[in-house]
Coordinates of all heavy atoms in Angstrom, one line a residue:
L8 N -29.0 -6.9 -38.2 CA -29.2 -6.7 -36.8 C -30.6 -6.2 -36.5 O -31.2 -6.5 -35.5 CB -28.1 -5.8 -36.2 CG -27.8 -6.1 -34.7 CD1 -27.5 -7.5 -34.4 CD2 -26.7 -5.2 -34.3
Q9 N -31.1 -5.5 -37.4 CA -32.5 -5.0 -37.3 C -33.5 -6.1 -37.1 O -34.4 -6.0 -36.3 CB -32.8 -4.1 -38.5 CG -34.2 -3.4 -38.4 CD -34.5 -2.6 -39.6 OE1 -33.6 -2.3 -40.4 NE2 -35.7 -2.1 -39.7
L10 N -33.4 -7.1 -37.9 CA -34.3 -8.3 -37.9 C -34.2 -8.9 -36.5 O -35.2 -9.3 -35.9 CB -33.9 -9.3 -39.0 CG -34.8 -10.6 -39.0 CD1 -36.2 -10.3 -39.2 CD2 -34.2 -11.5 -40.0
W11 N -33.0 -9.1 -36.0 CA -32.8 -9.7 -34.7 C -33.5 -8.9 -33.6 O -34.2 -9.5 -32.7 CB -31.3 -9.9 -34.4 CG -31.0 -10.4 -33.0 CD1 -31.3 -11.6 -32.5 CD2 -30.4 -9.6 -32.0 NE1 -30.8 -11.6 -31.2 CE2 -30.3 -10.4 -30.8 CE3 -29.9 -8.3 -31.9 CZ2 -29.7 -10.0 -29.7 CZ3 -29.3 -7.9 -30.7 CH2 -29.2 -8.7 -29.6
R12 N -33.3 -7.6 -33.7 CA -33.9 -6.7 -32.6 C -35.5 -6.8 -32.7 O -36.1 -6.8 -31.7 CB -33.4 -5.3 -32.8 CG -32.0 -5.2 -32.3 CD -31.6 -3.7 -32.3 NE -30.2 -3.7 -31.7 CZ -29.2 -3.1 -32.4 NH1 -29.3 -2.6 -33.6 NH2 -28.0 -3.1 -31.8
E13 N -36.0 -6.9 -34.0 CA -37.4 -7.0 -34.1 C -37.9 -8.3 -33.6 O -39.0 -8.4 -32.9 CB -37.8 -6.9 -35.6 CG -39.2 -6.9 -35.9 CD -39.6 -6.8 -37.4 OE1 -38.8 -6.1 -38.1 OE2 -40.6 -7.3 -37.8
M14 N -37.2 -9.4 -33.8 CA -37.5 -10.7 -33.3 C -37.6 -10.7 -31.8 O -38.5 -11.2 -31.2 CB -36.6 -11.8 -33.8 CG -36.7 -12.1 -35.3 SD -35.4 -13.1 -35.9 CE -35.7 -14.7 -35.0
K15 N -36.6 -10.1 -31.2 CA -36.5 -10.0 -29.7 C -37.7 -9.1 -29.2 O -38.3 -9.5 -28.2 CB -35.2 -9.3 -29.3 CG -33.9 -10.2 -29.6 CD -33.9 -11.5 -28.9 CE -33.7 -11.3 -27.4 NZ -33.7 -12.5 -26.6
R16 N -38.0 -8.0 -29.9 CA -39.1 -7.2 -29.5 C -40.4 -7.9 -29.5 O -41.3 -7.7 -28.6 CB -39.1 -5.9 -30.3 CG -40.0 -4.8 -29.8 CD -40.0 -3.6 -30.7 NE -40.6 -3.8 -32.0 CZ -39.9 -3.8 -33.1 NH1 -38.6 -3.4 -33.1 NH2 -40.4 -4.0 -34.3
K17 N -40.6 -8.8 -30.4 CA -41.8 -9.6 -30.6 C -41.8 -10.8 -29.6 O -42.8 -11.6 -29.6 CB -42.0 -10.0 -32.0 CG -42.3 -8.9 -32.9 CD -42.6 -9.4 -34.3 CE -43.0 -8.2 -35.2 NZ -43.4 -8.6 -36.5
G18 N -40.8 -10.9 -28.8 CA -40.7 -12.0 -27.9 C -40.3 -13.4 -28.4 O -40.5 -14.4 -27.8
M19 N -39.8 -13.4 -29.6 CA -39.4 -14.7 -30.2 C -38.1 -15.2 -29.5 O -37.2 -14.5 -29.3 CB -39.1 -14.5 -31.7 CG -40.3 -14.1 -32.5 SD -40.0 -13.9 -34.2 CE -39.9 -15.6 -34.8
K20 N -38.2 -16.5 -29.1 CA -37.0 -17.1 -28.4 C -36.0 -17.6 -29.5 O -36.3 -18.2 -30.5 CB -37.5 -18.3 -27.6 CG -36.5 -18.9 -26.8 CD -36.9 -19.0 -25.4 CE -35.9 -19.8 -24.5 NZ -34.8 -19.0 -24.0
M21 N -34.8 -17.2 -29.2 CA -33.7 -17.6 -30.1 C -33.0 -18.8 -29.5 O -32.9 -19.0 -28.3 CB -32.6 -16.4 -30.2 CG -33.2 -15.1 -30.6 SD -33.4 -14.9 -32.3 CE -31.7 -14.7 -32.8
N22 N -32.5 -19.7 -30.4 CA -31.7 -20.8 -30.0 C -30.2 -20.6 -30.3 O -29.9 -19.6 -30.9 CB -32.2 -22.1 -30.6 CG -32.1 -22.2 -32.1 OD1 -31.4 -21.4 -32.7 ND2 -32.9 -23.0 -32.7
L23 N -29.4 -21.5 -30.0 CA -27.9 -21.4 -30.2 C -27.6 -21.2 -31.6 O -26.8 -20.3 -32.0 CB -27.2 -22.6 -29.6 CG -25.7 -22.6 -29.7 CD1 -25.1 -21.4 -29.0 CD2 -25.1 -23.9 -29.2
V24 N -28.2 -21.9 -32.5 CA -27.9 -21.8 -34.0 C -28.3 -20.4 -34.4 O -27.5 -19.7 -35.1 CB -28.7 -22.8 -34.8 CG1 -28.6 -22.6 -36.3 CG2 -28.3 -24.2 -34.4
A25 N -29.4 -19.9 -34.0 CA -29.8 -18.5 -34.5 C -28.8 -17.5 -33.9 O -28.4 -16.5 -34.6 CB -31.2 -18.2 -34.0
Y26 N -28.4 -17.6 -32.7 CA -27.4 -16.7 -32.1 C -26.1 -16.8 -32.8 O -25.5 -15.8 -33.1 CB -27.2 -17.0 -30.6 CG -28.2 -16.3 -29.7 CD1 -29.1 -17.0 -28.9 CD2 -28.3 -14.9 -29.6 CE1 -30.0 -16.4 -28.1 CE2 -29.2 -14.2 -28.8 CZ -30.0 -15.0 -28.1 OH -30.9 -14.3 -27.3
N27 N -25.7 -18.0 -33.2 CA -24.4 -18.1 -33.9 C -24.5 -17.5 -35.3 O -23.5 -16.9 -35.7 CB -24.0 -19.6 -34.0 CG -23.4 -20.1 -32.7 OD1 -23.0 -19.3 -31.8 ND2 -23.3 -21.4 -32.5
V28 N -25.6 -17.6 -35.9 CA -25.8 -16.9 -37.2 C -25.6 -15.4 -37.1 O -25.0 -14.7 -37.9 CB -27.1 -17.3 -37.9 CG1 -27.4 -16.4 -39.1 CG2 -27.1 -18.8 -38.3
M29 N -26.3 -14.9 -36.0 CA -26.2 -13.4 -35.8 C -24.8 -13.0 -35.4 O -24.3 -12.0 -35.9 CB -27.2 -13.0 -34.7 CG -28.6 -13.2 -35.0 SD -29.2 -12.4 -36.5 CE -28.7 -10.7 -36.2
I30 N -24.1 -13.8 -34.6 CA -22.7 -13.5 -34.3 C -21.9 -13.5 -35.5 O -21.1 -12.6 -35.8 CB -22.2 -14.5 -33.2 CG1 -22.8 -14.3 -31.9 CG2 -20.6 -14.4 -33.1 CD1 -22.5 -15.4 -30.9
D31 N -22.0 -14.5 -36.4 CA -21.3 -14.6 -37.6 C -21.5 -13.4 -38.5 O -20.6 -12.8 -39.1 CB -21.6 -15.9 -38.3 CG -20.7 -16.1 -39.5 OD1 -19.5 -16.1 -39.4 OD2 -21.2 -16.2 -40.7
S32 N -22.8 -13.0 -38.7 CA -23.1 -11.9 -39.6 C -22.4 -10.6 -39.1 O -21.9 -9.9 -40.0 CB -24.6 -11.7 -39.7 OG -25.1 -11.2 -38.5
Q33 N -22.4 -10.4 -37.8 CA -21.7 -9.2 -37.4 C -20.2 -9.3 -37.3 O -19.5 -8.3 -37.6 CB -22.3 -8.8 -36.0 CG -23.8 -8.5 -36.0 CD -24.1 -7.4 -37.0 OE1 -23.6 -6.3 -37.0 NE2 -25.0 -7.7 -38.0
A34 N -19.7 -10.4 -37.0 CA -18.2 -10.6 -37.0 C -17.6 -10.4 -38.3 O -16.6 -9.8 -38.5 CB -17.9 -12.0 -36.4
R35 N -18.3 -10.9 -39.4 CA -17.8 -10.8 -40.7 C -17.7 -9.3 -41.1 O -16.9 -9.0 -42.0 CB -18.8 -11.5 -41.7 CG -18.6 -13.0 -41.7 CD -19.6 -13.6 -42.7 NE -19.6 -15.1 -42.6 CZ -18.8 -15.9 -43.3 NH1 -18.0 -15.3 -44.2 NH2 -18.8 -17.2 -43.1
L36 N -18.6 -8.5 -40.6 CA -18.6 -7.1 -40.8 C -17.6 -6.3 -39.9 O -17.4 -5.1 -40.1 CB -20.0 -6.5 -40.7 CG -21.0 -7.0 -41.7 CD1 -22.4 -6.5 -41.3 CD2 -20.7 -6.6 -43.1
G37 N -17.1 -7.0 -38.9 CA -16.2 -6.4 -38.0 C -16.9 -5.6 -36.9 O -16.3 -4.7 -36.2
N38 N -18.2 -5.8 -36.8 CA -19.1 -5.1 -35.8 C -19.0 -5.8 -34.4 O -20.0 -6.4 -34.0 CB -20.5 -5.0 -36.3 CG -20.6 -4.2 -37.5 OD1 -19.8 -3.4 -37.8 ND2 -21.7 -4.5 -38.3
M39 N -17.8 -5.7 -33.8 CA -17.6 -6.5 -32.6 C -18.4 -6.0 -31.4 O -18.7 -6.7 -30.5 CB -16.1 -6.6 -32.3 CG -15.4 -7.4 -33.4 SD -16.1 -8.9 -33.9 CE -15.8 -9.9 -32.5
D40 N -18.7 -4.7 -31.4 CA -19.6 -4.2 -30.3 C -21.0 -4.8 -30.4 O -21.5 -5.2 -29.4 CB -19.7 -2.6 -30.4 CG -18.5 -1.9 -30.1 OD1 -17.6 -2.5 -29.4 OD2 -18.3 -0.7 -30.5
E41 N -21.5 -5.0 -31.6 CA -22.7 -5.7 -31.8 C -22.6 -7.1 -31.4 O -23.6 -7.7 -30.8 CB -23.2 -5.5 -33.2 CG -23.8 -4.2 -33.6 CD -22.7 -3.1 -33.9 OE1 -21.5 -3.4 -33.8 OE2 -23.1 -2.0 -34.2
V42 N -21.5 -7.8 -31.7 CA -21.3 -9.2 -31.2 C -21.4 -9.2 -29.7 O -22.0 -10.1 -29.2 CB -19.9 -9.7 -31.7 CG1 -19.6 -11.0 -31.1 CG2 -20.0 -9.9 -33.3
G43 N -20.8 -8.3 -29.0 CA -20.9 -8.3 -27.6 C -22.3 -8.1 -27.1 O -22.7 -8.8 -26.1
E44 N -23.1 -7.3 -27.8 CA -24.5 -7.2 -27.4 C -25.2 -8.5 -27.6 O -26.1 -8.9 -26.8 CB -25.1 -6.1 -28.3 CG -26.6 -5.8 -28.1 CD -27.1 -4.8 -29.1 OE1 -26.4 -4.1 -29.7 OE2 -28.4 -4.8 -29.2
I45 N -24.9 -9.2 -28.7 CA -25.6 -10.5 -29.0 C -25.2 -11.5 -27.9 O -26.1 -12.2 -27.4 CB -25.3 -10.9 -30.4 CG1 -25.9 -10.0 -31.4 CG2 -25.8 -12.4 -30.6 CD1 -25.3 -10.2 -32.8
V46 N -24.0 -11.6 -27.6 CA -23.5 -12.5 -26.6 C -24.1 -12.2 -25.2 O -24.5 -13.1 -24.5 CB -21.9 -12.5 -26.5 CG1 -21.5 -13.4 -25.3 CG2 -21.4 -13.1 -27.8
A47 N -24.3 -10.9 -24.9 CA -24.9 -10.6 -23.6 C -26.4 -11.0 -23.6 O -26.9 -11.5 -22.6 CB -24.9 -9.1 -23.4
E48 N -27.1 -10.9 -24.8 CA -28.5 -11.4 -24.9 C -28.5 -12.9 -24.8 O -29.5 -13.4 -24.2 CB -29.1 -10.9 -26.2 CG -29.5 -9.5 -26.1 CD -30.7 -9.2 -25.2 OE1 -31.6 -10.1 -25.1 OE2 -30.7 -8.2 -24.5
M49 N -27.5 -13.6 -25.3 CA -27.5 -15.0 -25.2 C -27.5 -15.4 -23.7 O -28.3 -16.3 -23.3 CB -26.2 -15.6 -25.8 CG -26.2 -15.7 -27.3 SD -24.6 -16.4 -27.8 CE -24.9 -18.1 -27.7
A50 N -26.7 -14.8 -23.0 CA -26.6 -15.1 -21.5 C -27.9 -14.8 -20.8 O -28.4 -15.6 -20.0 CB -25.4 -14.3 -20.9
A51 N -28.5 -13.7 -21.2 CA -29.8 -13.3 -20.6 C -30.9 -14.3 -20.9 O -31.8 -14.5 -20.1 CB -30.2 -11.9 -21.0
D52 N -30.8 -14.9 -22.1 CA -31.7 -16.0 -22.5 C -31.4 -17.4 -22.0 O -32.1 -18.3 -22.3 CB -31.8 -16.0 -24.1 CG -32.7 -14.9 -24.6 OD1 -33.4 -14.2 -23.9 OD2 -32.6 -14.8 -25.9
G53 N -30.3 -17.5 -21.3 CA -29.9 -18.7 -20.7 C -29.2 -19.6 -21.8 O -29.2 -20.8 -21.6
C54 N -28.7 -19.0 -22.9 CA -28.1 -19.8 -24.0 C -26.6 -19.6 -23.9 O -26.1 -18.5 -23.9 CB -28.6 -19.2 -25.3 SG -28.3 -20.2 -26.7
Q55 N -25.9 -20.7 -23.7 CA -24.4 -20.6 -23.5 C -23.7 -20.7 -24.8 O -23.9 -21.6 -25.6 CB -24.0 -21.9 -22.6 CG -22.7 -21.8 -21.9 CD -22.7 -20.7 -20.8 OE1 -23.7 -20.1 -20.5 NE2 -21.6 -20.4 -20.3
P56 N -22.7 -19.7 -25.0 CA -21.9 -19.8 -26.3 C -21.2 -21.1 -26.3 O -20.7 -21.6 -25.3 CB -21.0 -18.6 -26.1 CG -21.6 -17.7 -25.1 CD -22.4 -18.6 -24.2
D57 N -21.1 -21.7 -27.5 CA -20.3 -22.9 -27.7 C -19.0 -22.7 -28.5 O -18.6 -21.5 -28.7 CB -21.2 -24.0 -28.5 CG -21.6 -23.5 -29.9 OD1 -21.2 -22.4 -30.3 OD2 -22.3 -24.3 -30.6
S58 N -18.4 -23.7 -28.9 CA -17.1 -23.6 -29.6 C -17.3 -22.8 -30.9 O -16.4 -22.0 -31.3 CB -16.5 -24.9 -29.9 OG -17.3 -25.8 -30.7
I59 N -18.4 -23.0 -31.6 CA -18.7 -22.2 -32.8 C -18.8 -20.7 -32.5 O -18.2 -19.9 -33.2 CB -19.9 -22.8 -33.6 CG1 -19.6 -24.2 -34.0 CG2 -20.3 -21.9 -34.7 CD1 -20.9 -24.9 -34.6
S60 N -19.5 -20.4 -31.5 CA -19.7 -19.0 -31.1 C -18.3 -18.4 -30.8 O -18.0 -17.3 -31.3 CB -20.5 -18.9 -29.8 OG -21.6 -19.6 -29.8
H61 N -17.5 -19.1 -30.0 CA -16.2 -18.5 -29.7 C -15.3 -18.4 -30.9 O -14.6 -17.4 -31.0 CB -15.5 -19.4 -28.6 CG -16.1 -19.2 -27.2 ND1 -17.2 -20.0 -26.8 CD2 -15.8 -18.4 -26.2 CE1 -17.5 -19.6 -25.5 NE2 -16.6 -18.7 -25.2
S62 N -15.3 -19.5 -31.7 CA -14.5 -19.4 -32.9 C -14.8 -18.3 -33.8 O -14.0 -17.6 -34.4 CB -14.6 -20.7 -33.7 OG -14.2 -21.8 -33.0
T63 N -16.1 -18.0 -33.9 CA -16.6 -16.9 -34.8 C -16.2 -15.6 -34.2 O -15.8 -14.6 -34.9 CB -18.1 -17.0 -34.9 OG1 -18.5 -18.3 -35.4 CG2 -18.7 -16.0 -35.9
I64 N -16.3 -15.5 -32.9 CA -15.8 -14.2 -32.2 C -14.3 -14.0 -32.5 O -13.9 -12.9 -32.8 CB -16.1 -14.2 -30.7 CG1 -17.7 -14.2 -30.6 CG2 -15.5 -13.1 -30.0 CD1 -18.1 -14.6 -29.2
C65 N -13.5 -15.1 -32.4 CA -12.1 -15.0 -32.7 C -11.9 -14.5 -34.1 O -11.1 -13.6 -34.4 CB -11.4 -16.4 -32.6 SG -10.9 -16.8 -30.9
K66 N -12.7 -15.0 -35.1 CA -12.6 -14.6 -36.5 C -12.9 -13.1 -36.6 O -12.2 -12.4 -37.3 CB -13.5 -15.4 -37.3 CG -13.6 -15.0 -38.8 CD -14.5 -15.9 -39.6 CE -15.9 -15.7 -39.3 NZ -16.8 -16.4 -40.1
G67 N -13.9 -12.6 -35.9 CA -14.2 -11.2 -36.0 C -13.1 -10.3 -35.6 O -12.8 -9.3 -36.2
Y68 N -12.5 -10.7 -34.4 CA -11.4 -9.9 -33.9 C -10.2 -10.0 -34.9 O -9.5 -9.0 -35.1 CB -11.0 -10.3 -32.5 CG -12.0 -9.8 -31.5 CD1 -12.5 -10.6 -30.5 CD2 -12.3 -8.4 -31.4 CE1 -13.4 -10.1 -29.6 CE2 -13.1 -7.9 -30.4 CZ -13.7 -8.8 -29.5 OH -14.5 -8.3 -28.6
A69 N -9.9 -11.2 -35.4 CA -8.8 -11.4 -36.3 C -8.9 -10.6 -37.5 O -8.0 -9.9 -38.0 CB -8.6 -12.9 -36.6
V70 N -10.1 -10.6 -38.1 CA -10.4 -9.8 -39.3 C -10.2 -8.3 -39.1 O -9.6 -7.6 -40.0 CB -11.9 -10.1 -39.8 CG1 -12.3 -9.1 -40.8 CG2 -12.0 -11.5 -40.4
K71 N -10.5 -7.9 -37.9 CA -10.4 -6.4 -37.6 C -8.9 -6.1 -37.2 O -8.6 -4.9 -37.1 CB -11.2 -6.1 -36.4 CG -12.5 -5.5 -36.8 CD -13.3 -5.0 -35.6 CE -13.1 -3.4 -35.5 NZ -14.0 -2.8 -34.6
G72 N -8.1 -7.1 -37.0 CA -6.7 -6.9 -36.6 C -6.5 -6.7 -35.1 O -5.5 -6.3 -34.6
E73 N -7.6 -7.0 -34.4 CA -7.6 -6.9 -32.9 C -7.1 -8.3 -32.4 O -7.9 -9.0 -31.8 CB -8.9 -6.5 -32.4 CG -9.3 -5.1 -32.8 CD -10.6 -4.6 -32.2 OE1 -11.1 -5.2 -31.2 OE2 -11.2 -3.7 -32.8
L74 N -5.9 -8.6 -32.6 CA -5.4 -10.0 -32.4 C -5.3 -10.3 -30.9 O -5.5 -11.4 -30.5 CB -4.1 -10.2 -33.1 CG -4.2 -10.1 -34.6 CD1 -2.8 -10.0 -35.3 CD2 -5.1 -11.1 -35.2
A75 N -5.0 -9.3 -30.1 CA -4.9 -9.5 -28.6 C -6.3 -10.0 -28.1 O -6.4 -10.9 -27.3 CB -4.5 -8.2 -27.9
K76 N -7.3 -9.4 -28.6 CA -8.7 -9.8 -28.2 C -9.0 -11.2 -28.7 O -9.7 -11.9 -28.0 CB -9.7 -8.8 -28.7 CG -9.6 -7.4 -28.0 CD -10.7 -6.5 -28.4 CE -10.6 -5.2 -27.6 NZ -11.6 -4.2 -28.0
A77 N -8.6 -11.5 -29.9 CA -8.8 -12.8 -30.5 C -8.1 -13.9 -29.6 O -8.7 -14.9 -29.2 CB -8.3 -12.9 -31.9
L78 N -6.9 -13.5 -29.2 CA -6.1 -14.4 -28.3 C -6.8 -14.5 -26.9 O -6.8 -15.6 -26.3 CB -4.7 -14.0 -28.1 CG -3.8 -14.2 -29.4 CD1 -2.5 -13.5 -29.3 CD2 -3.6 -15.7 -29.7
D79 N -7.4 -13.4 -26.4 CA -8.1 -13.5 -25.2 C -9.3 -14.4 -25.2 O -9.6 -15.1 -24.3 CB -8.6 -12.1 -24.8 CG -7.5 -11.1 -24.3 OD1 -6.5 -11.6 -23.9 OD2 -7.8 -9.9 -24.3
V80 N -10.0 -14.4 -26.4 CA -11.1 -15.4 -26.6 C -10.6 -16.8 -26.5 O -11.2 -17.7 -25.9 CB -11.9 -15.1 -27.9 CG1 -12.9 -16.1 -28.1 CG2 -12.5 -13.7 -27.8
L81 N -9.5 -17.0 -27.2 CA -8.9 -18.4 -27.2 C -8.5 -18.8 -25.8 O -8.8 -19.9 -25.3 CB -7.7 -18.4 -28.1 CG -6.9 -19.8 -28.1 CD1 -7.8 -20.9 -28.6 CD2 -5.7 -19.7 -29.0
K82 N -7.9 -17.9 -25.1 CA -7.5 -18.2 -23.7 C -8.7 -18.5 -22.8 O -8.7 -19.4 -22.0 CB -6.7 -17.0 -23.1 CG -6.2 -17.2 -21.7 CD -5.4 -16.0 -21.2 CE -5.0 -16.2 -19.8 NZ -4.3 -15.0 -19.2
N83 N -9.8 -17.7 -23.0 CA -11.0 -18.0 -22.3 C -11.6 -19.3 -22.6 O -12.1 -20.0 -21.8 CB -12.0 -16.9 -22.6 CG -13.3 -17.1 -21.9 OD1 -14.2 -17.7 -22.4 ND2 -13.5 -16.5 -20.7
M84 N -11.5 -19.7 -23.9 CA -12.0 -21.0 -24.3 C -11.2 -22.1 -23.6 O -11.8 -23.1 -23.1 CB -11.8 -21.2 -25.8 CG -12.7 -20.5 -26.7 SD -12.3 -20.7 -28.5 CE -13.0 -22.3 -28.8
Q85 N -9.9 -21.9 -23.5 CA -9.0 -22.9 -22.9 C -9.3 -23.0 -21.4 O -9.5 -24.1 -20.8 CB -7.5 -22.6 -23.1 CG -7.1 -22.7 -24.5 CD -5.8 -22.1 -24.8 OE1 -5.3 -21.2 -24.1 NE2 -5.1 -22.6 -25.8
E86 N -9.5 -21.9 -20.7 CA -9.7 -21.8 -19.3 C -11.1 -22.4 -19.0 O -11.3 -23.0 -17.9 CB -9.6 -20.4 -18.8 CG -8.2 -19.9 -18.7 CD -8.1 -18.4 -18.4 OE1 -9.1 -17.7 -18.3 OE2 -6.9 -18.0 -18.2
S87 N -12.1 -22.2 -19.8 CA -13.5 -22.6 -19.6 C -13.7 -24.0 -20.1 O -14.8 -24.5 -20.1 CB -14.4 -21.7 -20.3 OG -14.3 -20.4 -19.9
K88 N -12.6 -24.6 -20.7 CA -12.7 -26.0 -21.2 C -13.7 -26.1 -22.4 O -14.3 -27.2 -22.6 CB -13.0 -27.0 -20.1 CG -12.1 -26.9 -18.9 CD -11.2 -28.1 -18.8 CE -10.5 -28.2 -17.5 NZ -9.3 -27.3 -17.4
V89 N -13.8 -25.0 -23.1 CA -14.7 -25.0 -24.3 C -13.8 -25.7 -25.4 O -12.7 -25.3 -25.6 CB -15.1 -23.6 -24.8 CG1 -15.8 -23.6 -26.1 CG2 -15.9 -23.0 -23.7
P90 N -14.3 -26.7 -26.1 CA -13.5 -27.4 -27.1 C -13.1 -26.4 -28.2 O -13.8 -25.6 -28.6 CB -14.5 -28.5 -27.7 CG -15.6 -28.6 -26.7 CD -15.7 -27.3 -25.9
H91 N -11.8 -26.6 -28.6 CA -11.3 -25.7 -29.7 C -10.5 -26.6 -30.6 O -10.0 -27.7 -30.1 CB -10.5 -24.6 -29.1 CG -9.5 -24.9 -28.1 ND1 -9.8 -25.2 -26.8 CD2 -8.1 -25.0 -28.2 CE1 -8.7 -25.5 -26.2 NE2 -7.7 -25.4 -27.0
D92 N -10.4 -26.2 -31.8 CA -9.8 -27.1 -32.8 C -8.8 -26.3 -33.7 O -8.6 -25.1 -33.4 CB -10.8 -27.8 -33.7 CG -11.8 -26.9 -34.3 OD1 -11.5 -25.7 -34.4 OD2 -12.8 -27.4 -34.8
A93 N -8.3 -26.9 -34.7 CA -7.4 -26.2 -35.6 C -8.0 -25.0 -36.3 O -7.2 -24.1 -36.6 CB -6.9 -27.2 -36.6
I94 N -9.3 -25.0 -36.4 CA -9.9 -23.8 -37.1 C -9.7 -22.5 -36.3 O -9.3 -21.5 -36.9 CB -11.4 -24.1 -37.3 CG1 -11.7 -25.2 -38.3 CG2 -12.1 -22.8 -37.7 CD1 -13.1 -25.7 -38.4
V95 N -9.7 -22.6 -35.0 CA -9.5 -21.4 -34.2 C -8.1 -21.0 -34.4 O -7.8 -19.8 -34.6 CB -9.8 -21.7 -32.7 CG1 -9.5 -20.5 -31.9 CG2 -11.2 -22.1 -32.5
Y96 N -7.1 -21.9 -34.3 CA -5.7 -21.5 -34.4 C -5.4 -21.0 -35.8 O -4.7 -20.0 -35.9 CB -4.8 -22.7 -34.1 CG -4.9 -23.1 -32.6 CD1 -5.6 -24.2 -32.2 CD2 -4.2 -22.4 -31.7 CE1 -5.7 -24.6 -30.9 CE2 -4.2 -22.8 -30.3 CZ -5.0 -23.9 -29.9 OH -5.0 -24.2 -28.6
N97 N -6.0 -21.6 -36.8 CA -5.8 -21.1 -38.2 C -6.4 -19.7 -38.4 O -5.8 -18.9 -39.1 CB -6.4 -22.1 -39.2 CG -5.6 -23.3 -39.4 OD1 -4.4 -23.4 -39.1 ND2 -6.2 -24.4 -39.9
T98 N -7.5 -19.5 -37.8 CA -8.1 -18.1 -37.8 C -7.2 -17.1 -37.2 O -7.0 -16.0 -37.8 CB -9.5 -18.1 -37.1 OG1 -10.4 -19.1 -37.7 CG2 -10.1 -16.8 -37.0
I99 N -6.6 -17.4 -36.1 CA -5.7 -16.4 -35.4 C -4.4 -16.3 -36.2 O -4.0 -15.1 -36.5 CB -5.5 -16.8 -34.0 CG1 -6.8 -16.7 -33.2 CG2 -4.3 -16.0 -33.4 CD1 -6.7 -17.2 -31.8
L100 N -3.9 -17.4 -36.7 CA -2.7 -17.3 -37.6 C -2.9 -16.5 -38.8 O -2.1 -15.7 -39.3 CB -2.2 -18.7 -37.9 CG -1.5 -19.4 -36.7 CD1 -1.2 -20.9 -37.1 CD2 -0.3 -18.8 -36.3
D101 N -4.1 -16.7 -39.4 CA -4.5 -15.9 -40.6 C -4.5 -14.4 -40.3 O -4.0 -13.6 -41.1 CB -5.8 -16.4 -41.2 CG -6.2 -15.8 -42.5 OD1 -5.3 -15.9 -43.5 OD2 -7.3 -15.2 -42.6
G102 N -5.1 -14.1 -39.2 CA -5.2 -12.7 -38.8 C -3.8 -12.1 -38.6 O -3.5 -11.0 -39.0
C103 N -2.9 -12.9 -38.0 CA -1.5 -12.5 -37.7 C -0.8 -12.2 -39.1 O -0.1 -11.2 -39.2 CB -0.7 -13.5 -36.9 SG -1.2 -13.6 -35.2
A104 N -1.0 -13.1 -40.0 CA -0.4 -13.0 -41.3 C -0.9 -11.8 -42.1 O -0.1 -11.0 -42.6 CB -0.6 -14.2 -42.2
K105 N -2.2 -11.6 -42.1 CA -2.8 -10.5 -42.8 C -2.5 -9.1 -42.2 O -2.4 -8.1 -42.9 CB -4.4 -10.6 -42.8 CG -4.8 -11.7 -43.8 CD -6.3 -11.8 -43.8 CE -6.7 -12.8 -44.9 NZ -8.1 -13.1 -44.9
H106 N -2.2 -9.1 -40.9 CA -1.9 -7.8 -40.2 C -0.4 -7.7 -39.9 O 0.0 -6.9 -39.1 CB -2.8 -7.7 -39.0 CG -4.3 -7.6 -39.4 ND1 -4.8 -6.4 -39.9 CD2 -5.3 -8.5 -39.4 CE1 -6.1 -6.6 -40.2 NE2 -6.4 -7.9 -39.8
K107 N 0.4 -8.6 -40.5 CA 1.8 -8.6 -40.4 C 2.3 -8.6 -38.9 O 3.1 -7.8 -38.5 CB 2.4 -7.4 -41.2 CG 2.1 -7.5 -42.6 CD 2.7 -6.4 -43.4 CE 2.5 -6.3 -44.8 NZ 1.8 -6.9 -45.7
R108 N 1.8 -9.5 -38.2 CA 2.2 -9.6 -36.7 C 2.8 -11.0 -36.5 O 2.6 -11.9 -37.0 CB 1.0 -9.4 -35.8 CG 0.5 -8.0 -36.0 CD -0.2 -7.6 -34.8 NE -0.7 -6.2 -35.0 CZ -1.8 -5.8 -34.3 NH1 -2.3 -6.5 -33.4 NH2 -2.2 -4.6 -34.5

């Protein structure tokens, strides 16, 4: 996250792929507060989260055992008509299995 902050400080413009990489790196670590910070910066930069962004956020919450939040992201995807696939459902089901829910 330090590199991302340095890039932002230097005025480097991030694209969707770069944002998704940053979201993934923090979601894998369970740093969902940082994911929220990254998503807020995406919006400020006029960059809209896509299905990969949302799926990765679901994965982060599922890994942490915050399944209600993972389901909220899925619900938001459905309501916003963001395409979602079996990967999102499998991610949530995996989280349910790992956390015995």
Side-chain angles (χ1 to χ4, degrees):
L8 206 53
Q9 181 181 353
L10 176 62
W11 172 69
R12 287 189 177 120
E13 183 178 330
M14 289 170 67
K15 295 297 290 181
R16 191 177 65 245
K17 290 183 177 185
M19 296 179 76
K20 184 124 173 88
M21 304 278 284
N22 63 18
L23 182 60
V24 173
Y26 274 116
N27 282 342
V28 167
M29 295 305 303
I30 290 169
D31 185 58
S32 72
Q33 295 307 301
R35 286 177 184 269
L36 297 171
N38 296 335
M39 298 312 290
D40 289 339
E41 285 80 357
V42 168
E44 179 184 342
I45 294 165
V46 172
E48 281 292 322
M49 282 179 85
D52 280 350
C54 194
Q55 200 67 7
D57 64 357
S58 60
I59 294 170
S60 313
H61 285 89
S62 296
T63 305
I64 294 166
C65 276
K66 177 177 67 175
Y68 283 127
V70 165
K71 263 188 104 168
E73 296 181 21
L74 300 170
K76 289 182 179 180
L78 289 169
D79 285 344
V80 173
L81 176 61
K82 182 179 177 185
N83 180 271
M84 288 177 77
Q85 293 167 332
E86 290 171 352
S87 301
K88 307 250 188 283
V89 173
H91 50 284
D92 55 17
I94 293 171
V95 177
Y96 292 102
N97 286 339
T98 297
I99 292 173
L100 287 172
D101 186 55
C103 289
K105 285 183 179 172
H106 296 283
K107 298 181 181 13
R108 296 205 183 155

